[in-house]
Amino acid sequence: MAVYKKHPFMKIGRYAIAKEATEPSSPASIADASPTKLPKCDESFVSRGGAVSGSFHAPELINPSNTSRQCLYTFVAAPGQRVLVEIRTFNLRGKPPDGAAVGELPACMHEYMDIYSEMTSLEASELVNSAFGGRYCGPIPPRRRVSLHRALALAFYTDKPYTPPTLFTGTYRFINSSEFEVGTPVPNTLCSFVIEASKRKTGLLLSPTYPGIYPKDISCNYQFIGQPGQRIRLEFRDFDLFFGGPHCPFDWVRVYDGPDNSSAVIGTYCGQQRNLVLYSSDERLLVSFYTLPRAANTQNRGFKGIFEFSESFVKLDFISKHDAEHIRGSECDQKILSKKESTGFVYHPNYPFPYIQKVVCRYFIYGMQDSQNLERVRLEFQNFSIPKGEPKPDSCADGYLKVYLRGQEATDSYDKHDAELCGEGEPGPPAFPPPLLSDGPRLVMVFSSGELQGRGFKAKYTFETEYRVPGTAAPGGECAFTYRSEAKKRGEFNSPRYPSNYPSRTDCSYTLVAAPNEQVTVVFDHFKVKADAWNATAGLYGGATCSEDWVEAWWTGREGSRVPLGRWCGPATPGPLQSPRGALGLLLHLHTNNEAVASGFKARYIFEPAKSIFGDCGGNMSGAEYGVITSPLHPAPYAAPARGAASRVCNWFVTARPGKRLLLNFQLFAVEGHLIDRGCPAAVLRLWYESPGPPLELCGEKAPTDRWQYLSSSNSIRLSFIIADKSVGAAGWRAIWTEVTTETEGCENACAGACLPRAAACSGLQHCAGAAPATKPPHC
């Protein structure tokens, strides 16, 4: 029930109103007030029943002394009726606004119209207690009004010297009040009703004074009670409430999916709504309408809707039985959320029976999307039958299933579907319709059944991790990608979700397969893999330094063998990689643990014709006791590869006599990069001197006092110098290799736990790190 307050500026001309309002003995009593000395200008319009209508206009007043004049227009409906008043023309000589702005007194001072449409009694004194419906002046007429009860009053005030009859005109009509009684009234309430399907299966739902401006400070409840097996459809044909923000903090309509306000909320609505159609989940529904008790500054109509109880609306068991969730308020929309790489089935409504005609159902299938998970949706049909209707090539004239793979529903772009399916599906392979794969984490389907009835569809959905890695993905959805020379000679690959952080608890493999007589080169353009405990020293990579997240690489042989190239982590970018002549290609693997993550890596691959085993330079060295190996062009700086080539590669193979070992000392070393800070992305020297095991990876600059000296574990070593296409060049390097033994007892020339041959002393070379060439002994 509304609470009405006196308007602070109320004074009704010739009425001195102080007594309590009482119900009159006659409908005309509101117009039976005592006259003043001035000429009478009041008007009253009283219905005796029936469809009565008419018009009214401003009084003609001659007022040379500018006396305050007030004229009261009263409209009194018969029992069972209400009053509808519409102002047709309006040009009162005042200055709007009507005082609605905060801190302003009413601006309509010399001529205005006050409206009272919520009078509960027909007594004139009721004006003092009635809710004030607003004060108006200027050229804009007030919106139409419908009385809340049987009476409505317009109070016209002026102190102008002359008032013409054309100042305002309007029409009135006495309307039947039964259309506002949408059900059985709830006792002691103003506008609450119970609507029962047993009494009325369809009907109108109107706000209390529709289409007039709705009252403030009211609360109405409309409780719908159907019969078991029924659902309720509510369609708002007109909806116009004051909009105070997206959460509707002021006036609102709230719809509950059940019998009372403890039921789940379908939605809260305000502002202007178009095409608002709602369905209950079962036979009960509650609609609440609430308006604030505030100043009369709103001009909204309220709402007009139609309701229907029916057993023919879609039964929801085809959703509830199959791990999906019905979207409240819809007839048959459903959403399916991933349980991390889960799978399930979607069906047409009324499954397993033929579907119902003229039904539209939407399916929202959403994979996981957060900092650790990113999924896509795979859809595979197991049966399909939606009649096409009139046969037209590539068109669905009757029913259809539209599929959206790119998140179009977020912008209501339902006209931009990725697939429109209809017809008779054939069992595969290949299956019809073909499998569908979403571009991101969302796949949406819209099923529309037409005039014809069909057997419908059943489809399997699978949530699989979306790694956002280019390449041929593994069919099982795991993080495994293949790059074949016959498919593409050049391309890129990256860690999952790059440039965003890769997910934790992930293992990804990248297999690069070269054709016979080809080699593949991989160059890293970005590398950042999480490793809190990383403390790499001079290119020594492996389990001791990378124990959290890491990237590993191998050469792969055509017979299935693998040769390790290294393990990298932290900011130390791997040097360029190249498969050797005759190998199958390269295999890379990313491992992440369950803790912190980083941006990962981005790399390029290039398949090129195979070079000799020595590459672009290099060679085979054996049968000597010592020798010198240098970077190409040394002592000049090394150069980048030829234009268009992926890399320049030099391979050296050094072999000592059986039982001997090799000592390698770098006299000079300057290769672009830094082993700890950024790795060796543009150029790298790999040294195989321990067997088995990955090579040592070297770049950066050796200080003159540093000792870079390595003793082999067997009688052979291998050096591979790879210069990538993004190299800018550096001074290069010079290394002395020496055939040694590990028997140092009685050794004349010992170094680093090895015994140098007698001839080394005569070479003039720096065989031992940190030692200057000694004076040549006599035997030289």
Side-chain angles (χ1 to χ4, degrees):
M1 175 64 71
V3 177
Y4 300 104
K5 299 177 181 178
K6 294 182 181 180
H7 185 263
F9 302 108
M10 176 54 61
K11 183 177 181 183
I12 308 297
R14 58 191 177 85
Y15 292 93
I17 304 173
K19 63 179 180 178
E20 289 295 319
T22 57
E23 188 71 13
S25 57
S26 135
S29 61
I30 194 169
D32 295 339
S34 58
T36 66
K37 295 179 181 179
L38 293 171
K40 183 177 180 181
C41 63
D42 297 332
E43 297 276 356
S44 61
F45 306 89
V46 181
S47 171
R48 305 297 179 184
V52 180
S53 61
S55 61
F56 59 92
H57 56 78
E60 184 173 15
L61 299 176
I62 300 173
N63 185 24
S65 60
N66 292 78
T67 306
S68 296
R69 299 293 304 275
Q70 186 156 287
C71 307
L72 188 66
Y73 290 68
T74 56
F75 303 85
V76 183
Q81 288 185 330
R82 293 199 194 183
V83 186
L84 188 153
V85 169
E86 191 158 6
I87 307 297
R88 298 292 185 178
T89 62
F90 192 82
N91 194 19
L92 270 63
R93 294 160 294 187
K95 180 183 176 183
D98 64 355
V102 176
E104 289 186 18
L105 291 173
C108 302
M109 298 299 293
H110 296 284
E111 191 168 83
Y112 54 81
M113 178 184 288
D114 290 343
I115 299 181
Y116 303 87
S117 58
E118 302 173 34
M119 302 162 61
T120 57
S121 169
L122 306 185
E123 290 286 350
S125 59
E126 175 61 21
L127 288 174
V128 173
N129 298 317
S130 290
F132 181 52
R135 176 166 291 178
Y136 301 90
C137 62
I140 301 174
R143 298 256 181 113
R144 73 181 79 173
R145 290 296 203 283
V146 173
S147 64
L148 186 61
H149 302 286
R150 288 174 51 199
L152 186 149
L154 306 176
F156 169 62
Y157 169 89
T158 185
D159 59 9
K160 301 290 186 181
Y162 175 69
T163 300
T166 57
L167 197 65
F168 63 84
T169 63
T171 60
Y172 67 90
R173 182 158 49 97
F174 296 107
I175 60 176
N176 195 328
S177 64
S178 61
E179 65 180 23
F180 296 96
E181 296 180 2
V182 297
T184 303
V186 176
N188 302 317
T189 66
L190 176 67
C191 52
S192 293
F193 300 92
V194 176
I195 303 102
E196 298 174 271
S198 58
K199 297 179 180 178
R200 185 185 300 179
K201 290 194 71 172
T202 63
L204 280 176
L205 177 66
L206 299 177
S207 53
T209 56
Y210 182 88
I213 293 173
Y214 60 76
K216 56 188 180 293
D217 193 20
I218 59 168
S219 179
C220 309
N221 290 303
Y222 306 89
Q223 186 180 37
F224 295 85
I225 301 176
Q227 296 173 338
Q230 289 182 331
R231 295 176 65 192
I232 303 148
R233 180 182 188 272
L234 185 60
E235 177 183 350
F236 287 97
R237 298 286 179 86
D238 187 18
F239 192 102
D240 178 32
L241 266 60
F242 177 74
F243 181 74
H247 301 294
C248 301
F250 301 117
D251 302 347
W252 45 257
V253 167
R254 185 169 294 152
V255 183
Y256 299 88
D257 196 12
D260 52 46
N261 60 10
S262 65
S263 306
V265 175
I266 291 175
T268 301
Y269 309 97
C270 60
Q272 292 187 334
Q273 300 286 332
R274 285 171 173 56
N275 303 318
L276 182 57
V277 180
L278 304 172
Y279 291 82
S280 65
S281 296
D282 58 22
E283 69 275 11
R284 297 166 298 176
L285 190 75
L286 174 67
V287 178
S288 291
F289 176 40
Y290 172 83
T291 68
L292 280 179
R294 63 178 179 279
N297 59 348
T298 59
Q299 299 283 300
N300 304 89
R301 295 183 301 276
F303 56 83
K304 174 184 180 181
I306 56 173
F307 66 85
E308 179 184 2
F309 296 93
S310 178
E311 301 84 0
S312 65
F313 299 135
V314 173
K315 301 290 187 294
L316 298 178
D317 52 358
F318 85 103
I319 299 175
S320 58
K321 290 180 180 178
H322 299 111
D323 204 27
E325 180 183 347
H326 171 236
I327 297 176
R328 291 189 187 278
S330 70
E331 182 177 8
C332 51
D333 293 354
Q334 62 180 282
K335 63 180 176 182
I336 299 168
L337 303 180
S338 169
K339 297 179 175 62
K340 190 164 177 65
E341 298 188 344
S342 53
T343 187
F345 295 90
V346 287
Y347 307 84
H348 67 268
N350 208 38
Y351 178 87
F353 306 104
Y355 56 73
I356 305 164
Q357 295 102 316
K358 296 183 179 179
V359 167
V360 177
C361 301
R362 297 185 295 177
Y363 303 70
F364 299 88
I365 308 174
Y366 285 177
M368 300 180 75
Q369 184 179 19
D370 56 40
S371 61
Q372 289 298 325
N373 299 284
L374 181 64
E375 292 183 326
R376 61 184 177 184
V377 187
R378 183 182 297 274
L379 191 69
E380 299 172 288
F381 290 90
Q382 299 195 344
N383 53 57
F384 190 92
S385 173
I386 300 176
K388 280 188 174 185
E390 291 295 326
K392 292 181 181 179
D394 303 321
S395 68
C396 299
D398 194 58
Y400 58 79
L401 180 69
K402 291 182 178 178
V403 186
Y404 304 83
L405 305 173
R406 296 172 287 118
Q408 294 97 317
E409 79 286 354
T411 56
D412 284 331
S413 301
Y414 287 101
D415 57 329
K416 299 177 181 177
H417 53 270
D418 295 296
E420 184 178 28
L421 309 174
C422 60
E424 294 294 322
E426 298 292 338
F432 174 77
L436 297 166
L437 188 64
S438 67
D439 285 355
R442 306 196 297 267
L443 185 148
V444 175
M445 304 190 304
V446 176
F447 169 64
S448 176
S449 61
E451 300 282 351
L452 305 174
Q453 194 173 43
R455 298 192 308 276
F457 65 88
K458 174 184 177 183
K460 178 182 180 182
Y461 63 84
T462 304
F463 295 107
E464 51 186 53
T465 299
E466 169 59 272
Y467 300 103
R468 287 190 176 164
V469 176
T472 304
E478 61 269 23
C479 190
F481 301 88
T482 303
Y483 308 86
R484 296 184 179 274
S485 169
E486 59 261 29
K488 197 174 181 182
K489 295 298 183 186
R490 290 172 175 257
E492 296 181 341
F493 61 96
N494 50 261
S495 54
R497 307 185 69 178
Y498 178 86
S500 300
N501 288 349
Y502 54 76
S504 58
R505 299 181 299 277
T506 298
D507 284 279
C508 293
S509 65
Y510 307 84
T511 303
L512 298 105
V513 181
N517 298 317
E518 275 191 337
Q519 291 172 277
V520 60
T521 301
V522 169
V523 179
F524 287 85
D525 291 325
H526 174 88
F527 191 90
K528 190 174 182 181
V529 174
K530 187 66 178 177
D532 290 335
W534 186 67
N535 58 350
T537 56
L540 177 61
Y541 301 101
T545 56
C546 296
S547 57
E548 296 161 281
D549 300 351
W550 64 75
V551 171
E552 290 182 292
W554 297 266
W555 291 334
T556 55
R558 298 192 180 276
E559 68 285 350
S561 61
R562 298 195 306 186
V563 176
L565 292 174
R567 176 186 288 187
W568 301 269
C569 58
T573 305
L577 304 170
Q578 187 180 77
S579 62
R581 182 183 180 90
L584 177 65
L586 293 171
L587 171 65
L588 287 85
H589 185 88
L590 168 69
H591 169 81
T592 71
N593 66 6
N594 59 356
E595 296 179 0
V597 294
S599 56
F601 68 85
K602 181 180 180 182
R604 295 177 283 125
Y605 66 87
I606 306 96
F607 291 101
E608 294 179 312
K611 303 172 182 178
S612 78
I613 61 169
F614 305 120
D616 299 293
C617 49
N620 191 6
M621 300 183 180
S622 61
E625 291 187 307
Y626 56 82
V628 178
I629 305 173
T630 65
S631 56
L633 305 180
H634 187 81
Y638 60 83
R643 189 175 187 87
S647 62
R648 181 192 299 271
V649 182
C650 303
N651 297 317
W652 293 270
F653 302 87
V654 185
T655 307
R657 288 171 291 177
K660 303 287 185 175
R661 293 164 73 176
L662 292 164
L663 182 68
L664 187 71
N665 175 39
F666 285 96
Q667 188 177 5
L668 305 167
F669 196 96
V671 173
E672 54 202 295
H674 190 285
L675 286 174
I676 296 176
D677 292 345
R678 62 181 184 274
C680 312
V684 67
L685 176 66
R686 290 195 176 87
L687 169 63
W688 283 263
Y689 72 101
E690 288 189 329
S691 182
L696 184 68
E697 188 151 311
L698 298 173
C699 66
E701 189 167 347
K702 181 183 93 70
T705 56
D706 289 347
R707 297 189 178 192
W708 287 20
Q709 182 172 270
Y710 305 95
L711 179 64
S712 70
S713 61
S714 68
N715 71 328
S716 66
I717 61 173
R718 172 178 176 164
L719 293 91
S720 181
F721 186 43
I722 307 179
I723 308 166
D725 54 5
K726 62 180 179 177
S727 168
V728 295
W733 49 270
R734 171 183 165 94
I736 295 98
W737 62 268
T738 310
E739 185 181 83
V740 298
T741 65
T742 55
E743 295 294 332
T744 58
E745 187 174 347
C747 179
E748 298 178 3
N749 197 0
C751 176
C755 184
L756 300 175
R758 294 186 72 209
C762 305
S763 67
L765 300 174
Q766 190 176 359
H767 296 272
C768 191
T775 304
K776 292 184 180 181
H779 70 263
C780 295

